[in-house]
Amino acid sequence: MAQENQSGADEPANTEVQSSNDLQSTDRFDELFIRIYPNPSMGLFFIATEVKMTIQIYDRMMRPILPKTLTFLEGKHSLDLNHLESGYYIASIETDAGRQTRHLSIR
């Protein structure tokens, strides 16, 4: 589903952004640059971010995989999940703008 922006161009709708208080406008989170790649991966992911963020990784049953939440400052970072089995995982990312989930795939 696409939404029309102020200039009249279509933009993809994003419904994955959630805050701890209910759904939050995607506009503020979409302004942030957070990239996790490659996805799928053999277990080593890179995170490029322009904002301070925290991330927690969950399995498909929403059980935390890491012993603690990780904090990343602006820049490029690595996230080594080589110890995990192949499968799908959920990354919960939180910034001052809210919370967003991303799906990670390990081959």
Side-chain angles (χ1 to χ4, degrees):
M1 181 175 183
Q3 296 176 345
E4 190 173 299
N5 66 17
Q6 291 177 344
S7 66
D10 285 343
E11 294 180 342
N14 183 351
T15 58
E16 290 188 25
V17 176
Q18 296 181 23
S19 73
S20 55
N21 297 328
D22 290 343
L23 289 177
Q24 179 176 358
S25 169
T26 62
D27 295 340
R28 182 132 183 245
F29 211 105
D30 287 345
E31 292 172 6
L32 307 177
F33 177 77
I34 298 173
R35 186 170 168 224
I36 302 175
Y37 62 96
N39 194 15
S41 165
M42 297 301 288
L44 182 61
F45 294 90
F46 294 97
I47 299 173
T49 178
E50 293 181 359
V51 295
K52 180 181 176 184
M53 59 172 272
T54 60
I55 187 169
Q56 177 58 272
I57 308 298
Y58 298 93
D59 66 13
R60 295 180 89 186
M61 301 299 292
M62 291 305 293
R63 293 177 295 220
I65 296 298
L66 303 176
K68 62 181 181 176
T69 300
L70 303 175
T71 300
F72 295 108
L73 301 177
E74 298 86 359
K76 183 178 174 183
H77 310 276
S78 61
L79 179 61
D80 187 354
L81 301 177
N82 282 315
H83 63 284
L84 299 178
E85 294 181 21
S86 297
Y88 294 99
Y89 296 88
I90 299 164
S92 176
I93 301 167
E94 191 165 350
T95 70
D96 289 340
R99 183 177 300 149
Q100 185 179 66
T101 58
R102 306 249 179 115
H103 298 270
L104 303 178
S105 177
I106 298 177
R107 293 187 215 179

